[in-house]
Amino acid sequence: RTKSLPTLHIALNSWIDTPFSMDEEVDTRKINNSFLRDHNYATEADIISTVEFNSTGELLATGDQGGRVVVFQREQESKNQPHRRGEYNVYSTFQSHEPEFDYLKSLEIEEKINKIRWLPQQNAAYFLLSTNDKTVKLWKISERDKRPEGYNLKDEEGRIRDPTTITTLRVPVLRPMDLMVEATPRRIFSNAHTYHINSISVNSDNETYMSTDDLRINLWNLEITNRSFNIVDIKPANMEELTEVITAAEFHPNQCNTFVYSSSKGSIRLCDMRTSALCDNHSKLFEEPEDPSNRSFFSEIISSISDVKFSHSGRYLMTRDYLTVKVWDINMESKPLETYQVHDYLRSKLCSLYENDCIFDKFECVWNGTDSVLMTGSYNNFFRMFDRNTKRDVTLEASRENSKPRAILKPRKVCVGGKRRKDEISVDSLDFSKKILHTAWHPNENIIAVAATNNLYIFQDKVN
């Protein structure tokens, strides 16, 4: 399998648009870029496994199952082509992780990138954390447009010169060169997880981060690679007594002592690192009692939380389970503040979804920059948006048909039984192999990135 980046088919678009709207009649979201990898040549390694904007939104990173990281940079606005502002083009591509083999456990370690998290920018370079199942790496991405020339001890080709031939002293100078973007691994954090890492989160102190696997959460200092502190451990003494696993974890956006983690039993635990070194006893437990009338064989599976996110303000938590997105007020543990049905029409299909393993898919969820709109993925390359203020919601589709220049995304509707209207799609016609698990929202603008299998779509809602 080749390690090089597959050919990107890029469709670039300009805009005539109105501010973001959840109106079902006219949706103003249009395609910005769609980075389409040719399906004829796409392999499993090309499937995108994570998407993440940096803190300014100028860079967008994607990781795939082949261990590669592709970083896109936003075009700077020019007077000649003002509509080009907002387009994202490839900035850097590098192989973050390679496949490994654990000889002690006879276990193959996949190169798949599970998560990418950007560090706040401190200087001209950019830093990001990427992780596979076992190893977290800190990468530095920097630019170089000058090279030194005129060495005394080396010739122009870099070979060491004979000291006896050196008769004059030269002062090396920097010469301009073509811009080169370099990605170098600065730290490698390994050998700390027995189980598969499912999430990483950078602390607001910008000095530490945590990595989470199925049973433990470890706290790392970004400068120290040979030790970490275990802050949560839910592994029972007897593994036969294991009833739940950790599914996701995240630090509070501005309180460095607070973090939250979710479990496969549908509960969310808020912990405070000031109370004790090992946060086995949570400060708050967010859990919704199950309605006995909805109890079924699949109840426990679909209640498992696949993602948890703090709002930018830090006041709310958003969680995603198989069928719903819930918003919790961190001051109210008894029940969620809001519950949104993502694809309730699948409730009757749970048996077949269990048989084809789709019921175990882990969908992510994201906030917009003002915490007023939520976004999450679904099947058939659909993704859903929920406006918390107007209570409106919309279903949109990321597909090749929509990737034409200046294309407008039309709302989609799923029909459950009975007569089907012209623009509706039957629930029996949904393609469960096309799923949107990973999405990202620009921190300040209405620009979203949607990963649909091996294609990356960037949509924008902006007046130009």
Side-chain angles (χ1 to χ4, degrees):
R1 168 165 63 72
T2 178
K3 292 292 182 188
S4 60
L5 178 72
T7 305
L8 293 173
H9 302 271
I10 303 177
L12 304 177
N13 304 266
S14 57
W15 312 93
I16 46 168
D17 233 322
T18 55
F20 178 66
S21 163
M22 295 299 291
D23 196 333
E24 295 234 355
E25 304 305 319
V26 182
D27 190 86
T28 60
R29 189 161 298 278
K30 294 185 180 180
I31 289 193
N32 185 357
N33 310 33
S34 60
F35 298 90
L36 305 174
R37 301 177 182 183
D38 197 327
H39 279 281
N40 298 325
Y41 300 100
T43 64
E44 194 173 322
D46 299 329
I47 295 173
I48 297 171
S49 53
T50 184
V51 185
E52 186 79 4
F53 280 104
N54 74 339
S55 58
T56 62
E58 293 301 302
L59 296 181
L60 171 67
T62 67
D64 65 22
Q65 294 196 6
R68 294 168 298 226
V69 172
V70 182
V71 179
F72 299 93
Q73 186 181 45
R74 195 176 187 188
E75 280 285 326
Q76 296 302 311
E77 191 168 1
S78 67
K79 292 180 181 178
N80 300 332
Q81 297 174 305
H83 68 277
R84 290 292 294 266
R85 173 74 177 157
E87 292 178 0
Y88 284 79
N89 295 313
V90 177
Y91 178 61
S92 175
T93 305
F94 57 94
Q95 187 72 32
S96 173
H97 288 71
E98 299 278 358
E100 298 175 56
F101 193 81
D102 187 333
Y103 294 99
L104 290 175
K105 297 180 180 176
S106 296
L107 194 69
E108 188 177 355
I109 302 169
E110 289 184 339
E111 63 270 43
K112 173 191 168 190
I113 307 296
N114 291 339
K115 282 287 185 291
I116 289 173
R117 289 291 179 265
W118 290 93
L119 272 63
Q121 191 175 1
Q122 309 286 353
N123 49 38
Y126 302 97
F127 290 86
L128 64 81
L129 289 168
S130 64
T131 183
N132 66 351
D133 286 341
K134 297 290 182 183
T135 305
V136 183
K137 294 185 181 181
L138 174 64
W139 290 88
K140 177 185 178 181
I141 302 169
S142 55
E143 296 181 357
R144 193 147 61 93
D145 59 358
K146 292 183 177 63
R147 68 168 180 268
E149 286 184 4
Y151 286 105
N152 289 289
L153 301 179
K154 291 189 290 187
D155 61 20
E156 299 305 323
E157 295 177 4
R159 291 176 302 213
I160 301 297
R161 295 170 63 183
D162 183 355
T164 58
T165 64
I166 301 171
T167 56
T168 58
L169 183 65
R170 293 189 294 179
V171 178
V173 293
L174 292 173
R175 302 283 186 205
M177 60 176 272
D178 291 337
L179 179 67
M180 189 159 73
V181 181
E182 298 176 315
T184 52
R186 299 306 301 267
R187 305 274 187 279
I188 297 177
F189 307 89
S190 57
N191 303 322
H193 285 278
T194 307
Y195 307 97
H196 290 178
I197 298 172
N198 54 46
S199 55
I200 50 176
S201 179
V202 180
N203 200 345
S204 58
D205 63 10
N206 296 335
E207 290 184 2
T208 56
Y209 77 93
M210 66 179 174
S211 55
T212 308
D213 67 24
D214 297 331
L215 297 178
R216 297 188 180 101
I217 300 177
N218 290 338
L219 181 69
W220 300 82
N221 187 297
L222 287 162
E223 299 294 326
I224 301 168
T225 60
N226 59 359
R227 72 175 182 271
S228 62
F229 295 97
N230 180 225
I231 53 176
V232 172
D233 188 347
I234 66 167
K235 183 184 177 186
N238 181 4
M239 284 295 278
E240 291 180 3
E241 297 170 7
L242 182 67
T243 57
E244 63 180 336
V245 295
I246 301 170
T247 55
E250 189 175 61
F251 270 119
H252 191 282
N254 44 52
Q255 294 175 11
C256 63
N257 53 281
T258 307
F259 68 94
V260 69
Y261 69 92
S262 59
S263 86
S264 57
K265 274 195 165 181
S267 59
I268 310 107
R269 293 173 174 86
L270 186 82
C271 300
D272 189 336
M273 291 192 290
R274 295 173 299 185
T275 55
S276 63
L278 192 62
C279 300
D280 283 352
N281 295 320
H282 50 266
S283 302
K284 293 190 176 185
L285 174 66
F286 303 88
E287 195 169 32
E288 186 174 27
E290 188 185 3
D291 184 355
S293 62
N294 288 336
R295 180 74 189 165
S296 73
F297 171 76
F298 306 107
S299 295
E300 197 167 311
I301 301 172
I302 64 174
S303 67
S304 175
I305 294 173
S306 55
D307 197 16
V308 59
K309 293 275 172 62
F310 271 106
S311 62
H312 295 85
S313 65
R315 173 67 186 271
Y316 302 103
L317 285 168
M318 171 169 51
T319 61
R320 170 71 205 263
D321 57 38
Y322 191 66
L323 294 178
T324 67
V325 170
K326 293 172 183 171
V327 175
W328 301 78
D329 187 327
I330 62 170
N331 297 329
M332 185 173 75
E333 301 167 57
S334 56
K335 62 178 181 178
L337 201 62
E338 302 153 20
T339 300
Y340 302 95
Q341 299 295 332
V342 178
H343 40 214
D344 200 50
Y345 47 78
L346 294 182
R347 202 174 283 275
S348 61
K349 301 282 182 187
L350 292 178
C351 190
S352 56
L353 290 165
Y354 178 77
E355 289 171 357
N356 64 17
D357 281 349
C358 285
I359 201 169
F360 301 106
D361 286 334
K362 292 176 170 33
F363 292 94
E364 295 174 6
C365 53
V366 290
W367 300 87
N368 73 337
T370 58
D371 300 333
S372 60
V373 183
L374 322 175
M375 177 172 64
T376 191
S378 182
Y379 293 105
N380 207 68
N381 281 356
F382 289 170
F383 59 97
R384 302 269 283 140
M385 289 184 175
F386 304 94
D387 191 313
R388 298 179 61 206
N389 299 324
T390 64
K391 302 304 177 188
R392 282 180 167 169
D393 64 271
V394 67
T395 302
L396 301 171
E397 182 182 6
S399 68
R400 283 176 162 247
E401 290 71 36
N402 294 336
S403 63
K404 300 181 180 74
R406 302 169 66 83
I408 297 175
L409 288 191
K410 295 178 181 175
R412 303 299 305 268
K413 285 189 178 179
V414 177
C415 166
V416 184
K419 288 186 177 180
R420 182 171 64 88
R421 293 182 185 175
K422 182 183 176 184
D423 295 333
E424 291 181 341
I425 181 169
S426 168
V427 68
D428 298 317
S429 305
L430 296 175
D431 187 344
F432 294 109
S433 66
K434 294 179 179 177
K435 57 193 84 170
I436 292 178
L437 303 176
H438 314 287
T439 57
W441 202 308
H442 190 288
N444 308 313
E445 299 179 36
N446 281 325
I447 297 174
I448 59 171
V450 175
T453 319
N454 58 320
N455 297 322
L456 174 67
Y457 297 87
I458 299 175
F459 301 107
Q460 178 174 353
D461 174 49
K462 187 179 177 183
V463 177
N464 266 335

